[in-house]
Amino acid sequence: VQLQASGGGLVQAGGSLGLSCAASTRTSSRYLMGWFRQAPGKEREFVAAITASGRTTYYADSMKGRFTISRDNAKNTVYLQMNSLKPEDTAVYYCAAERDTLDMRLAFGNSRLYEYWGQGTLVTVSS
C-alpha cells in the first residue's frame, strides 16, 4: 500500500485545514488508517485513527472536538479535518495504514505497529 498525503500549508491560529491521504490500492478498505504528527525536536505522536469500515474513530485527547477523521473507501482516501488550529499543532502530519485487526484496534496509537506510511505534509499554524 502506497500512501500520498496532501493538503498541508500555512494557516492562522483559529483557522481550519483539511488533509487527505490517498492510498494506491483498493485493499485500503481492509486497513485501519491513522494520522500522526511530528513537530521539530519532538517525537511522533498519535492524532487520530479510523477503522476499515469507517464506523469507529479514535482521537488523541488534545484533538477531540477539533479534529475529525473520515474515509471514503470508494476513493481510497482518508481525510483529517482540523479546526480551531493552534500554533502547537504545527508539525509534519503523516498518514499510516495497517491491517484492521482486533490487536490494532487496541493499539491504534502505537506508530510502530503501522507498516505503511505516507511521506508527510507540513502544517504551519501562525499565531
Side-chain angles (χ1 to χ4, degrees):
V1 179
Q2 292 182 322
L3 304 174
Q4 179 76 35
S6 62
L10 175 63
V11 63
Q12 289 188 330
S16 299
L17 204 59
L19 305 182
S20 299
C21 176
S24 62
T25 173
R26 294 179 185 177
T27 58
S28 60
S29 62
R30 299 202 296 267
Y31 286 77
L32 184 147
M33 303 293 293
W35 284 98
F36 291 79
R37 70 185 186 185
Q38 188 165 17
K42 295 188 177 181
E43 296 203 354
R44 189 168 297 188
E45 67 171 338
F46 170 73
V47 174
I50 187 167
T51 57
S53 67
R55 285 195 287 266
T56 304
T57 57
Y58 311 95
Y59 296 93
D61 288 343
S62 60
M63 286 72 166
K64 286 180 182 178
R66 299 191 301 125
F67 291 9
T68 302
I69 188 171
S70 61
R71 68 190 297 163
D72 184 340
N73 284 340
K75 296 182 178 179
N76 299 321
T77 302
V78 175
Y79 305 96
L80 184 69
Q81 178 64 37
M82 304 182 293
N83 299 326
S84 302
L85 283 163
K86 307 173 182 179
E88 51 264 42
D89 293 318
T90 295
V92 177
Y93 284 71
Y94 299 90
C95 59
E98 181 52 60
R99 290 194 180 272
D100 191 347
T101 64
L102 179 59
D103 286 346
M104 272 307 296
R105 295 190 183 196
L106 297 175
F108 53 83
N110 187 343
S111 62
R112 297 177 183 179
L113 298 180
Y114 290 80
E115 181 174 1
Y116 305 101
W117 289 85
Q119 84 288 2
T121 185
L122 176 63
V123 173
T124 303
V125 184
S126 63
S127 58

PDB file of all heavy atoms in Angstrom, residues 4-28:
ATOM      1  N   GLN A   4      -0.224   8.696  -0.081  1.00  0.00           N
ATOM      2  CA  GLN A   4       0.183  10.032  -0.503  1.00  0.00           C
ATOM      3  C   GLN A   4      -0.632  11.048   0.282  1.00  0.00           C
ATOM      4  O   GLN A   4      -1.828  11.203   0.047  1.00  0.00           O
ATOM      5  CB  GLN A   4      -0.048  10.213  -2.003  1.00  0.00           C
ATOM      6  CG  GLN A   4       0.328  11.581  -2.529  1.00  0.00           C
ATOM      7  CD  GLN A   4       1.834  11.762  -2.661  1.00  0.00           C
ATOM      8  OE1 GLN A   4       2.554  10.822  -2.992  1.00  0.00           O
ATOM      9  NE2 GLN A   4       2.313  12.962  -2.408  1.00  0.00           N
ATOM     10  N   ALA A   5       0.037  11.749   1.188  1.00  0.00           N
ATOM     11  CA  ALA A   5      -0.639  12.769   1.982  1.00  0.00           C
ATOM     12  C   ALA A   5      -0.546  14.118   1.301  1.00  0.00           C
ATOM     13  O   ALA A   5       0.459  14.430   0.657  1.00  0.00           O
ATOM     14  CB  ALA A   5      -0.021  12.840   3.373  1.00  0.00           C
ATOM     15  N   SER A   6      -1.576  14.915   1.454  1.00  0.00           N
ATOM     16  CA  SER A   6      -1.584  16.243   0.861  1.00  0.00           C
ATOM     17  C   SER A   6      -2.497  17.161   1.665  1.00  0.00           C
ATOM     18  O   SER A   6      -3.253  16.692   2.526  1.00  0.00           O
ATOM     19  CB  SER A   6      -2.055  16.176  -0.599  1.00  0.00           C
ATOM     20  OG  SER A   6      -3.384  15.684  -0.669  1.00  0.00           O
ATOM     21  N   GLY A   7      -2.399  18.459   1.376  1.00  0.00           N
ATOM     22  CA  GLY A   7      -3.304  19.408   1.999  1.00  0.00           C
ATOM     23  C   GLY A   7      -2.681  20.303   3.039  1.00  0.00           C
ATOM     24  O   GLY A   7      -3.340  21.196   3.567  1.00  0.00           O
ATOM     25  N   GLY A   8      -1.420  20.075   3.363  1.00  0.00           N
ATOM     26  CA  GLY A   8      -0.781  20.923   4.349  1.00  0.00           C
ATOM     27  C   GLY A   8      -0.575  22.335   3.837  1.00  0.00           C
ATOM     28  O   GLY A   8      -0.734  22.619   2.645  1.00  0.00           O
ATOM     29  N   GLY A   9      -0.239  23.222   4.750  1.00  0.00           N
ATOM     30  CA  GLY A   9       0.002  24.600   4.370  1.00  0.00           C
ATOM     31  C   GLY A   9       0.094  25.493   5.575  1.00  0.00           C
ATOM     32  O   GLY A   9       0.229  25.017   6.704  1.00  0.00           O
ATOM     33  N   LEU A  10       0.022  26.786   5.324  1.00  0.00           N
ATOM     34  CA  LEU A  10       0.118  27.794   6.371  1.00  0.00           C
ATOM     35  C   LEU A  10      -1.283  28.315   6.679  1.00  0.00           C
ATOM     36  O   LEU A  10      -2.028  28.689   5.765  1.00  0.00           O
ATOM     37  CB  LEU A  10       1.016  28.935   5.910  1.00  0.00           C
ATOM     38  CG  LEU A  10       1.138  30.146   6.836  1.00  0.00           C
ATOM     39  CD1 LEU A  10       1.778  29.741   8.157  1.00  0.00           C
ATOM     40  CD2 LEU A  10       1.940  31.252   6.157  1.00  0.00           C
ATOM     41  N   VAL A  11      -1.610  28.363   7.961  1.00  0.00           N
ATOM     42  CA  VAL A  11      -2.926  28.844   8.376  1.00  0.00           C
ATOM     43  C   VAL A  11      -2.760  29.623   9.675  1.00  0.00           C
ATOM     44  O   VAL A  11      -1.848  29.350  10.455  1.00  0.00           O
ATOM     45  CB  VAL A  11      -3.910  27.669   8.545  1.00  0.00           C
ATOM     46  CG1 VAL A  11      -3.451  26.732   9.647  1.00  0.00           C
ATOM     47  CG2 VAL A  11      -5.326  28.149   8.791  1.00  0.00           C
ATOM     48  N   GLN A  12      -3.623  30.594   9.876  1.00  0.00           N
ATOM     49  CA  GLN A  12      -3.574  31.371  11.111  1.00  0.00           C
ATOM     50  C   GLN A  12      -4.243  30.608  12.247  1.00  0.00           C
ATOM     51  O   GLN A  12      -5.125  29.765  12.015  1.00  0.00           O
ATOM     52  CB  GLN A  12      -4.256  32.717  10.921  1.00  0.00           C
ATOM     53  CG  GLN A  12      -3.484  33.680  10.033  1.00  0.00           C
ATOM     54  CD  GLN A  12      -4.094  35.076  10.031  1.00  0.00           C
ATOM     55  OE1 GLN A  12      -5.292  35.233  10.194  1.00  0.00           O
ATOM     56  NE2 GLN A  12      -3.252  36.071   9.847  1.00  0.00           N
ATOM     57  N   ALA A  13      -3.831  30.912  13.445  1.00  0.00           N
ATOM     58  CA  ALA A  13      -4.439  30.293  14.620  1.00  0.00           C
ATOM     59  C   ALA A  13      -5.947  30.541  14.606  1.00  0.00           C
ATOM     60  O   ALA A  13      -6.396  31.636  14.277  1.00  0.00           O
ATOM     61  CB  ALA A  13      -3.822  30.860  15.890  1.00  0.00           C
ATOM     62  N   GLY A  14      -6.682  29.501  14.931  1.00  0.00           N
ATOM     63  CA  GLY A  14      -8.134  29.574  14.896  1.00  0.00           C
ATOM     64  C   GLY A  14      -8.729  29.144  13.576  1.00  0.00           C
ATOM     65  O   GLY A  14      -9.941  28.953  13.462  1.00  0.00           O
ATOM     66  N   GLY A  15      -7.875  28.976  12.585  1.00  0.00           N
ATOM     67  CA  GLY A  15      -8.339  28.597  11.264  1.00  0.00           C
ATOM     68  C   GLY A  15      -8.502  27.099  11.110  1.00  0.00           C
ATOM     69  O   GLY A  15      -8.347  26.325  12.059  1.00  0.00           O
ATOM     70  N   SER A  16      -8.807  26.696   9.883  1.00  0.00           N
ATOM     71  CA  SER A  16      -9.068  25.292   9.572  1.00  0.00           C
ATOM     72  C   SER A  16      -8.234  24.841   8.386  1.00  0.00           C
ATOM     73  O   SER A  16      -7.860  25.661   7.529  1.00  0.00           O
ATOM     74  CB  SER A  16     -10.555  25.079   9.253  1.00  0.00           C
ATOM     75  OG  SER A  16     -11.374  25.409  10.353  1.00  0.00           O
ATOM     76  N   LEU A  17      -8.002  23.558   8.347  1.00  0.00           N
ATOM     77  CA  LEU A  17      -7.254  22.964   7.244  1.00  0.00           C
ATOM     78  C   LEU A  17      -7.694  21.517   7.104  1.00  0.00           C
ATOM     79  O   LEU A  17      -7.966  20.852   8.115  1.00  0.00           O
ATOM     80  CB  LEU A  17      -5.757  23.030   7.526  1.00  0.00           C
ATOM     81  CG  LEU A  17      -4.777  22.996   6.347  1.00  0.00           C
ATOM     82  CD1 LEU A  17      -5.034  24.167   5.403  1.00  0.00           C
ATOM     83  CD2 LEU A  17      -3.352  23.042   6.876  1.00  0.00           C
ATOM     84  N   GLY A  18      -7.769  21.041   5.870  1.00  0.00           N
ATOM     85  CA  GLY A  18      -8.142  19.656   5.638  1.00  0.00           C
ATOM     86  C   GLY A  18      -7.017  18.905   4.955  1.00  0.00           C
ATOM     87  O   GLY A  18      -6.446  19.386   3.974  1.00  0.00           O
ATOM     88  N   LEU A  19      -6.676  17.762   5.486  1.00  0.00           N
ATOM     89  CA  LEU A  19      -5.649  16.908   4.904  1.00  0.00           C
ATOM     90  C   LEU A  19      -6.294  15.704   4.234  1.00  0.00           C
ATOM     91  O   LEU A  19      -7.359  15.244   4.653  1.00  0.00           O
ATOM     92  CB  LEU A  19      -4.675  16.427   5.976  1.00  0.00           C
ATOM     93  CG  LEU A  19      -3.986  17.486   6.837  1.00  0.00           C
ATOM     94  CD1 LEU A  19      -3.015  16.821   7.811  1.00  0.00           C
ATOM     95  CD2 LEU A  19      -3.276  18.508   5.977  1.00  0.00           C
ATOM     96  N   SER A  20      -5.631  15.201   3.217  1.00  0.00           N
ATOM     97  CA  SER A  20      -6.089  13.994   2.533  1.00  0.00           C
ATOM     98  C   SER A  20      -4.949  12.989   2.470  1.00  0.00           C
ATOM     99  O   SER A  20      -3.778  13.371   2.428  1.00  0.00           O
ATOM    100  CB  SER A  20      -6.553  14.323   1.109  1.00  0.00           C
ATOM    101  OG  SER A  20      -7.631  15.221   1.110  1.00  0.00           O
ATOM    102  N   CYS A  21      -5.305  11.738   2.437  1.00  0.00           N
ATOM    103  CA  CYS A  21      -4.323  10.665   2.291  1.00  0.00           C
ATOM    104  C   CYS A  21      -4.895   9.667   1.293  1.00  0.00           C
ATOM    105  O   CYS A  21      -5.856   8.961   1.595  1.00  0.00           O
ATOM    106  CB  CYS A  21      -4.046  10.013   3.632  1.00  0.00           C
ATOM    107  SG  CYS A  21      -2.933   8.583   3.536  1.00  0.00           S
ATOM    108  N   ALA A  22      -4.302   9.632   0.121  1.00  0.00           N
ATOM    109  CA  ALA A  22      -4.775   8.739  -0.926  1.00  0.00           C
ATOM    110  C   ALA A  22      -3.963   7.453  -0.924  1.00  0.00           C
ATOM    111  O   ALA A  22      -2.730   7.492  -0.907  1.00  0.00           O
ATOM    112  CB  ALA A  22      -4.665   9.436  -2.272  1.00  0.00           C
ATOM    113  N   ALA A  23      -4.651   6.336  -0.951  1.00  0.00           N
ATOM    114  CA  ALA A  23      -3.990   5.035  -0.989  1.00  0.00           C
ATOM    115  C   ALA A  23      -3.943   4.522  -2.419  1.00  0.00           C
ATOM    116  O   ALA A  23      -4.798   4.841  -3.246  1.00  0.00           O
ATOM    117  CB  ALA A  23      -4.721   4.046  -0.093  1.00  0.00           C
ATOM    118  N   SER A  24      -2.954   3.709  -2.681  1.00  0.00           N
ATOM    119  CA  SER A  24      -2.702   3.254  -4.049  1.00  0.00           C
ATOM    120  C   SER A  24      -3.525   2.055  -4.454  1.00  0.00           C
ATOM    121  O   SER A  24      -3.529   1.670  -5.622  1.00  0.00           O
ATOM    122  CB  SER A  24      -1.222   2.904  -4.191  1.00  0.00           C
ATOM    123  OG  SER A  24      -0.895   1.846  -3.315  1.00  0.00           O
ATOM    124  N   THR A  25      -4.218   1.456  -3.506  1.00  0.00           N
ATOM    125  CA  THR A  25      -4.874   0.202  -3.827  1.00  0.00           C
ATOM    126  C   THR A  25      -6.243   0.097  -3.191  1.00  0.00           C
ATOM    127  O   THR A  25      -6.507   0.695  -2.162  1.00  0.00           O
ATOM    128  CB  THR A  25      -4.009  -0.983  -3.358  1.00  0.00           C
ATOM    129  OG1 THR A  25      -4.743  -2.194  -3.536  1.00  0.00           O
ATOM    130  CG2 THR A  25      -3.656  -0.847  -1.886  1.00  0.00           C
ATOM    131  N   ARG A  26      -7.112  -0.682  -3.804  1.00  0.00           N
ATOM    132  CA  ARG A  26      -8.459  -0.857  -3.274  1.00  0.00           C
ATOM    133  C   ARG A  26      -8.448  -1.573  -1.936  1.00  0.00           C
ATOM    134  O   ARG A  26      -9.403  -1.476  -1.172  1.00  0.00           O
ATOM    135  CB  ARG A  26      -9.309  -1.659  -4.255  1.00  0.00           C
ATOM    136  CG  ARG A  26      -9.578  -0.944  -5.558  1.00  0.00           C
ATOM    137  CD  ARG A  26     -10.408  -1.796  -6.487  1.00  0.00           C
ATOM    138  NE  ARG A  26     -10.585  -1.170  -7.782  1.00  0.00           N
ATOM    139  CZ  ARG A  26     -11.228  -1.736  -8.794  1.00  0.00           C
ATOM    140  NH1 ARG A  26     -11.754  -2.926  -8.647  1.00  0.00           N
ATOM    141  NH2 ARG A  26     -11.352  -1.106  -9.945  1.00  0.00           N
ATOM    142  N   THR A  27      -7.399  -2.301  -1.648  1.00  0.00           N
ATOM    143  CA  THR A  27      -7.362  -3.045  -0.392  1.00  0.00           C
ATOM    144  C   THR A  27      -7.263  -2.123   0.812  1.00  0.00           C
ATOM    145  O   THR A  27      -7.284  -2.577   1.941  1.00  0.00           O
ATOM    146  CB  THR A  27      -6.193  -4.040  -0.371  1.00  0.00           C
ATOM    147  OG1 THR A  27      -4.980  -3.325  -0.568  1.00  0.00           O
ATOM    148  CG2 THR A  27      -6.354  -5.086  -1.446  1.00  0.00           C
ATOM    149  N   SER A  28      -7.156  -0.835   0.560  1.00  0.00           N
ATOM    150  CA  SER A  28      -7.130   0.090   1.686  1.00  0.00           C
ATOM    151  C   SER A  28      -8.409  -0.002   2.504  1.00  0.00           C
ATOM    152  O   SER A  28      -8.438   0.418   3.645  1.00  0.00           O
ATOM    153  CB  SER A  28      -6.934   1.516   1.193  1.00  0.00           C
ATOM    154  OG  SER A  28      -7.990   1.882   0.326  1.00  0.00           O
TER     155      SER A  28
END
